[in-house]
Amino acid sequence: MSKNRQIYFVQRPNGMPDENTFDLRTSEIPEPGAGEVLVRTVYLSVDPYMRGRMSDRKSYVAPFALNEVLSGGVVGQVEVSKDDRFQAGDLVTGLLGWQDYSVAKADELNKVDPNLAPPSAYLGALGMPGLTAYFGLLDIGQPKAGETVVVSGAAGAVGTIVGQIAKIKGARVVGIAGSAEKNRYLKEELGFDAVINYKTEDVQKALEKACPNGVDVYFDNVGGPISDAVATLLNKFARIPLCGQISMYNLKEPEQGPRIQTSLLINSALMKGFIVSDYQSRSAEGTKQLGEWVSQGKIVYQENIVEGLENTPEAFLGLFSGENLGKQLVKVSDIQ
Amino acid sequence: MSKNRQIYFVQRPNGMPDENTFDLRTSEIPEPGAGEVLVRTVYLSVDPYMRGRMSDRKSYVAPFALNEVLSGGVVGQVEVSKDDRFQAGDLVTGLLGWQDYSVAKADELNKVDPNLAPPSAYLGALGMPGLTAYFGLLDIGQPKAGETVVVSGAAGAVGTIVGQIAKIKGARVVGIAGSAEKNRYLKEELGFDAVINYKTEDVQKALEKACPNGVDVYFDNVGGPISDAVATLLNKFARIPLCGQISMYNLKEPEQGPRIQTSLLINSALMKGFIVSDYQSRSAEGTKQLGEWVSQGKIVYQENIVEGLENTPEAFLGLFSGENLGKQLVKVSDIQ
């Protein structure tokens, strides 16, 4: 133990975040009080939703405060515990800072069981992205055997789980992603029925070909023109879980587009936004089911791990370039 | 009985329908076969959804065929019955032609009980518009006591019923309509809590004032900029029954607008299109409940009646000028 490196949020981005958004500072390692725990960060999760928190406007969750340490999902290891429920060496997960060491209230931490899945999975398939896929797809999308499920952002941490759950439910799964490598992975490793490369293909034509029976469920991670194309192929009573609009997050002005209302109207279709915390009361159910599917090999996942706390901003920005495959993590220290 | 005047659909409109869309012709009065009934038209209903059927593209229901008699909701009186279930003089309702006399299969007719409500109500409060309001508001909108319900097209056949049902459920009701007379009616006769004149007021500002606690349910009859304004005020878990998009029906190209997805996403809000036929299996429930509310005086309604079959096209076009208050009907003959 030496110092605590911390990544501060120092300027709200206008458009895409850049080096002026973040500042790496160093301070003393904090000491936990009664009922608190000192956690050493092992893995940090960077996720697209964090972009919304960087703007000073209403979003999923409260905006990040300026001149404070950024925060997100962390898997860490307990260094010092001032609470009976935890002891040094325990692996835990919680919403903690972008820093080497965090002091957290014991109430805000959950233990990680490394026998069920590797600890990093608690930030991915068994964590926020997995639960997002699970509840959005099953509660809102409700895919039935034989139906066609389209997922955009298909190679991302949420999209890969969505497609695999849809396959488990017997649906035909069409994934939209941004590279040949991603699409090979989706088709060959995850069993997607069809894949579309939105960077090289005419999405509208490719969708028409990939969805000869129309679209029953569209799990929307991206918004924008890709979603406009899917909207033209909705079937009667289609369902659209609205999970993210990554194509919009860095725009300076709200984008205009063809109104989707007409398509929803003529198809009696449903579109519903959600955030994983809407399902907080059911998270144990989701984690349990996802853990079973992972241990049965029905859900597999891939991680893209960047080494070093100082590279967290870069890893975060990489989410918006369409390059990453699977869950983006930052490795900050080793499990001891 | 003499001849049968019929209004044919002779040209698909590009934009707003006009005199070239319709042709009034005369033929012999048809004769019913076995299991059929000859019905004399008493009231014809003209409704905004019919505009969608005039285009040769996917809509709620199949497009109207060219060079055939237009059709819609009718209350009529049986002239000749070749089916045991009906006899001459019975009042019936069904989907029949824009003509003086129609031959219908007995299976496609329902009896009208003039003791429950005036026969014309079976085309309005107890008919398609009433059931549209009932199922859209209660099944999709699910207003709770104390919540704020906004309805656009508030003075129309559907909107007036929506607002009254929302009041029955204890909600605060805000109506958006296009004239001072309509708004006076909504507020003074129907008990709406607040009204907005979209032709003379800044809708955004007026909505902010009328909805200090945000919007929980938005019953959308109109689409376009009015709905864009409502979308900025949605509360967490808001619901939007998407009933019509009358502002779009006569556009030659799909209109562009700010994408609503972001607003749905950050509020975990739901938007769902529907058509009354989605609820066909529950129509008896709806008619019964609406009939009770009408007989209890909890739902009142107004009709705007044009006289004469030949004026049906004009009555139909009037739906799009924002002038009509309540259910638009055409009186074709007297009950005998």
Side-chain angles (χ1 to χ4, degrees):
Chain A
M1 284 207 202
S2 52
K3 293 280 185 179
N4 191 22
R5 294 172 304 159
Q6 304 179 296
I7 299 175
Y8 276 75
F9 178 53
V10 294
Q11 191 179 89
R12 296 202 186 279
N14 182 17
M16 188 68 75
D18 58 25
E19 67 271 20
N20 297 319
T21 311
F22 309 98
D23 189 33
L24 181 68
R25 299 177 189 174
T26 301
S27 67
E28 299 302 312
I29 295 167
E31 291 193 11
E36 292 183 335
V37 177
L38 177 67
V39 178
R40 176 175 35 76
T41 303
V42 175
Y43 292 107
L44 263 180
S45 176
V46 290
D47 299 278
Y49 81 88
M50 294 172 171
R51 175 62 187 87
R53 299 193 67 184
M54 292 181 179
S55 296
D56 190 17
R57 61 182 175 217
K58 191 174 175 186
S59 179
Y60 286 118
V61 275
F64 286 123
L66 269 182
N67 299 313
E68 293 195 5
V69 178
L70 284 154
S71 64
V74 160
V75 163
Q77 196 162 22
V78 173
E79 291 272 329
V80 180
S81 175
K82 296 281 179 65
D83 187 277
D84 290 347
R85 288 166 283 178
F86 295 97
Q87 33 182 293
D90 281 351
L91 288 169
V92 295
T93 184
L95 208 64
L96 303 176
W98 287 15
Q99 54 194 353
D100 290 312
Y101 298 92
S102 295
V103 162
K105 288 184 180 140
D107 289 339
E108 296 169 357
L109 296 173
N110 286 301
K111 278 197 193 174
V112 161
D113 177 1
N115 298 315
L116 187 60
S120 61
Y122 286 81
L123 297 175
L126 273 66
M128 187 273 286
L131 293 170
T132 298
Y134 179 87
F135 289 113
L137 182 66
L138 297 182
D139 194 63
I140 301 172
Q142 303 186 19
K144 293 169 198 65
E147 288 192 330
T148 297
V149 174
V150 174
V151 53
S152 56
V158 174
T160 50
I161 309 292
V162 167
Q164 292 178 88
I165 298 176
K167 287 302 295 178
I168 290 168
K169 296 296 177 183
R172 171 177 170 80
V173 176
V174 178
I176 307 175
S179 80
E181 184 204 346
K182 286 178 179 180
N183 281 343
R184 188 207 58 75
Y185 172 73
L186 296 176
K187 203 158 178 185
E188 293 179 14
E189 311 282 326
L190 302 190
F192 279 48
D193 296 284
V195 287
I196 294 169
N197 183 334
Y198 71 86
K199 291 190 177 169
T200 61
E201 295 183 67
D202 178 324
V203 174
Q204 181 76 43
K205 282 186 190 158
L207 272 168
E208 285 168 12
K209 192 176 160 196
C211 307
N213 299 318
V215 175
D216 301 293
V217 178
Y218 173 47
F219 195 102
D220 187 4
N221 282 309
V222 304
I226 290 174
S227 298
D228 297 339
V230 181
T232 65
L233 295 172
L234 297 181
N235 285 336
K236 180 88 180 172
F237 300 123
R239 290 84 65 194
I240 304 179
L242 207 52
C243 176
Q245 296 280 286
I246 198 169
S247 70
M248 307 284 114
Y249 292 172
N250 292 303
L251 297 179
K252 297 178 189 185
E253 298 290 334
E255 192 186 66
Q256 306 267 315
R259 297 179 188 278
I260 194 168
Q261 283 87 337
T262 305
S263 182
L264 298 181
L265 185 60
I266 66 178
N267 294 298
S268 295
L270 175 149
M271 171 176 262
K272 187 179 182 315
F274 73 103
I275 176 172
V276 65
S277 55
D278 296 344
Y279 296 94
Q280 202 148 18
S281 66
R282 290 173 57 194
S283 68
E285 166 205 328
T287 308
K288 181 164 175 288
Q289 178 63 76
L290 289 163
E292 280 176 24
W293 283 332
V294 166
S295 65
Q296 293 163 354
K298 290 182 178 171
I299 287 185
V300 297
Y301 59 89
Q302 193 152 330
E303 294 167 340
N304 190 26
I305 299 181
V306 166
E307 298 272 341
L309 176 73
E310 68 280 11
N311 295 318
T312 307
E314 185 189 323
F316 171 69
L317 295 176
L319 296 172
F320 301 98
S321 63
E323 298 304 319
N324 59 312
L325 173 60
K327 179 69 193 102
Q328 181 66 51
L329 297 173
V330 180
K331 177 104 180 285
V332 176
S333 71
D334 291 323
I335 295 174
Q336 288 166 356
Chain B
M1 284 204 199
S2 52
K3 294 278 185 179
N4 191 21
R5 293 173 304 157
Q6 305 178 294
I7 299 176
Y8 276 75
F9 178 53
V10 295
Q11 190 180 89
R12 297 202 184 280
N14 181 18
M16 188 68 74
D18 59 25
E19 68 273 19
N20 296 319
T21 310
F22 309 98
D23 189 33
L24 181 67
R25 300 179 188 172
T26 301
S27 67
E28 299 301 314
I29 296 167
E31 291 193 10
E36 292 183 334
V37 176
L38 178 67
V39 178
R40 176 174 35 77
T41 302
V42 175
Y43 293 107
L44 262 179
S45 176
V46 290
D47 299 278
Y49 81 87
M50 294 171 170
R51 175 63 187 88
R53 300 194 66 185
M54 292 181 179
S55 295
D56 190 15
R57 62 183 174 213
K58 191 174 175 186
S59 179
Y60 287 117
V61 275
F64 285 124
L66 270 181
N67 299 311
E68 293 195 4
V69 178
L70 284 155
S71 64
V74 160
V75 163
Q77 196 162 23
V78 173
E79 291 273 328
V80 179
S81 174
K82 296 281 178 67
D83 187 278
D84 290 347
R85 288 166 284 178
F86 296 97
Q87 32 181 292
D90 281 351
L91 289 169
V92 295
T93 183
L95 207 64
L96 303 175
W98 287 16
Q99 53 195 353
D100 290 311
Y101 297 93
S102 296
V103 163
K105 289 186 179 138
D107 290 339
E108 297 168 356
L109 297 173
N110 287 301
K111 278 196 193 175
V112 160
D113 177 1
N115 297 316
L116 187 61
S120 60
Y122 286 80
L123 297 175
L126 274 65
M128 186 273 286
L131 292 170
T132 298
Y134 180 87
F135 289 113
L137 182 66
L138 297 182
D139 194 63
I140 302 172
Q142 302 187 17
K144 293 169 197 65
E147 288 192 329
T148 298
V149 174
V150 173
V151 54
S152 56
V158 175
T160 50
I161 309 292
V162 167
Q164 291 178 90
I165 297 176
K167 288 302 295 178
I168 291 169
K169 296 296 176 183
R172 170 178 170 78
V173 177
V174 177
I176 307 174
S179 79
E181 183 204 348
K182 286 179 179 180
N183 281 343
R184 189 208 55 76
Y185 173 73
L186 296 177
K187 203 157 179 187
E188 293 179 16
E189 311 282 326
L190 303 190
F192 280 47
D193 296 284
V195 288
I196 294 169
N197 183 335
Y198 70 86
K199 290 189 177 168
T200 60
E201 295 184 67
D202 178 324
V203 174
Q204 180 76 43
K205 282 186 189 156
L207 272 168
E208 286 168 12
K209 192 176 160 197
C211 306
N213 299 317
V215 175
D216 300 294
V217 179
Y218 173 46
F219 195 102
D220 187 3
N221 282 310
V222 305
I226 290 173
S227 298
D228 297 338
V230 181
T232 65
L233 296 172
L234 297 181
N235 286 335
K236 180 88 180 173
F237 300 123
R239 290 84 65 194
I240 304 179
L242 207 52
C243 176
Q245 295 280 286
I246 198 170
S247 70
M248 308 283 113
Y249 292 171
N250 292 302
L251 297 179
K252 297 178 188 183
E253 298 289 333
E255 192 186 64
Q256 305 266 316
R259 297 179 188 278
I260 194 167
Q261 283 86 339
T262 305
S263 182
L264 298 181
L265 185 59
I266 65 179
N267 295 298
S268 295
L270 175 149
M271 171 176 262
K272 187 180 182 315
F274 74 103
I275 177 173
V276 65
S277 56
D278 296 344
Y279 296 94
Q280 202 148 19
S281 65
R282 292 173 56 194
S283 68
E285 165 204 330
T287 308
K288 180 166 176 287
Q289 179 62 77
L290 290 162
E292 281 176 23
W293 283 332
V294 166
S295 66
Q296 292 163 355
K298 291 183 179 170
I299 287 185
V300 298
Y301 59 89
Q302 194 151 329
E303 293 167 342
N304 191 25
I305 299 181
V306 164
E307 298 271 341
L309 177 72
E310 66 281 10
N311 295 318
T312 308
E314 186 189 323
F316 171 70
L317 294 176
L319 297 172
F320 302 99
S321 64
E323 298 305 321
N324 59 311
L325 174 59
K327 179 69 194 104
Q328 182 65 53
L329 297 172
V330 180
K331 176 103 180 285
V332 176
S333 71
D334 291 323
I335 295 173
Q336 288 167 356

